[in-house]
Amino acid sequence: MVRKKHSVCSQDSKNSDEKSASNGLPPTPKGTIPLMFTAKRVFWWICAVLTALAVVKAVAVFVALLAIEWRNPLQDDAPMYFAAGRGLLHGRPLYLELFETKPPGMFLLAAASLLWNGTQQLANRLEVFLLCTYPLMFLWYLVRAGEWKKERTFYCACTLLLSFLLGIVAILHAGKLETEIFGNMFATLFVVLFASTEKKFSWWEMLIATVSIACAILIKEPFALAILLAAFLLSKSKTLFWKNCITPMFFALIVFAAVLLALGSLGTYITFYLPEVYLFRVSTDSTPLVFRLTMISRLLTDFVDSPVHLLSVLLLAL
């Protein structure tokens, strides 16, 4: 038995030497590890250490930004949302006596927050809660898609790093109760749900998809286009795209119209809000809507101003 094992080892060594000779390399001395395996191992150890340090740094920055959001800050357009929310509490019709270039979702959230304790505290707490679910959504994707495996540790670490980086970008660009941060959370929830399955949605998955899309477009309508594009790129087949994206999108639009109808603002939304926002305002505010889709220079400026954006895109590609 010992002789047989020694014979096998000798044969492996001989094959290794013959392979090295055929590649023009000197034979590997006995009892040593080939150089390329050592280099590869060192490379992955370096990647692991750098990724771990990046995750620690990202978590520290993410938590620090969450601490700021917990202090109930407001910026830019947020005070106008609460002015419109207070008007709703006093029975003022939306898009007739109260006008702001946003769908009703943010105004309803502002009204609920004012009704809660007269301040923006409830809205800020909801924002922090949604931001905390960002890494959890990506973790859910890893588990749900079957990617949470020992041999996929580096991939999982990069995915979690991406979740914290995207959370940081969301806070920096849309924190302090801007609409985009809420719409982004709900849109991401749908994309994670859509990308992590290769089957038709069950009833509870369809419910989550419908609610997430409805909440996203109630906050800001352009998220509907972002959701459609993401689902199109990630779809495994045309059937799944129609059943798992178009169907919940249709139900979400029904919910959207029902909310406007309940507020008594469906008519003014169609006849006044939509033309004003997507025809007149967009066409007179710097560039028309169609040309805004080609503003690559704006993306490049974001990359230069903040390396976090570029790192996020690289991790998405990975």
Side-chain angles (χ1 to χ4, degrees), residues 189-197 201 230-231 234-235 240-241 244-245:
L189 175 59
F190 169 78
V191 172
V192 167
L193 180 67
F194 182 87
S196 59
T197 184
F201 281 162
L234 297 171
S235 180
L240 283 180
F241 177 74
N244 289 357
C245 180

Side-chain angles (χ1 to χ4, degrees), residues 81 84-85 88 94-95 100-112 179 214-221 255-266 269 273:
Y81 306 151
L88 285 177
L94 194 59
Y95 309 125
E100 169 59 22
T101 56
K102 297 292 184 296
M106 196 64 198
F107 308 138
L108 292 174
L109 176 59
T179 55
C215 290
I217 61 177
L218 277 168
I219 294 295
K220 205 165 186 178
E221 302 96 333
V255 173
F256 185 87
V259 171
L260 286 170
L261 189 63
L263 293 173
S265 303
L266 182 60
Y269 178 85
Y273 172 87

Side-chain angles (χ1 to χ4, degrees), residues 1-211:
M1 190 70 179
V2 175
R3 290 180 179 177
K4 186 176 181 180
K5 184 176 180 180
H6 178 73
S7 176
V8 172
C9 292
S10 300
Q11 185 65 32
D12 290 343
S13 178
K14 182 178 180 182
N15 292 338
S16 177
D17 291 344
E18 291 176 354
K19 192 172 183 180
S20 299
S22 65
N23 292 331
L25 298 174
T28 304
K30 295 182 179 181
T32 61
I33 302 176
L35 180 60
M36 64 177 183
F37 293 112
T38 305
K40 184 177 180 180
R41 193 168 185 178
V42 171
F43 170 76
W44 283 112
W45 270 109
I46 293 174
C47 289
V49 172
L50 292 178
T51 303
L53 293 175
V55 170
V56 172
K57 177 65 176 179
V59 171
V61 175
F62 186 70
V63 171
L65 292 174
L66 284 181
I68 296 175
E69 297 298 320
W70 187 263
R71 298 174 184 173
N72 307 325
L74 293 174
Q75 75 170 3
D76 297 336
D77 297 337
M80 289 187 287
Y81 306 151
F82 284 88
R86 191 172 295 278
L88 285 177
L89 293 177
H90 287 83
R92 303 298 183 186
L94 194 59
Y95 309 125
L96 189 61
E97 294 187 24
L98 301 170
F99 184 80
E100 169 59 22
T101 56
K102 297 292 184 296
M106 196 64 198
F107 308 138
L108 292 174
L109 176 59
S113 185
L114 292 171
L115 191 63
W116 176 261
N117 64 353
T119 69
Q120 70 271 23
Q121 186 180 44
L122 178 64
N124 280 107
R125 296 296 182 268
L126 178 61
E127 178 190 9
V128 172
F129 171 76
L130 291 176
L131 286 168
C132 289
T133 63
Y134 220 124
L136 295 178
M137 284 191 289
F138 281 79
L139 181 62
W140 182 45
Y141 164 77
L142 292 174
V143 175
R144 180 177 163 86
E147 300 287 356
W148 191 262
K149 301 176 182 178
K150 184 178 180 180
E151 59 270 20
R152 303 279 284 172
T153 303
F154 181 70
Y155 171 79
C156 295
C158 288
T159 303
L160 292 177
L161 174 60
L162 173 63
S163 69
F164 286 109
L165 290 177
L166 292 178
I168 292 170
V169 171
I171 297 175
L172 292 178
H173 281 268
K176 303 175 180 63
L177 296 183
E178 284 297 319
T179 55
E180 290 81 3
I181 200 165
F182 293 96
N184 185 44
M185 298 298 121
F186 291 112
T188 302
L189 175 59
F190 169 78
V191 172
V192 167
L193 180 67
F194 182 87
S196 59
T197 184
E198 297 182 1
K199 301 178 182 178
K200 180 183 176 182
F201 281 162
S202 62
W203 68 268
W204 65 269
E205 291 172 327
M206 183 64 69
L207 179 62
I208 294 176
T210 301
V211 172

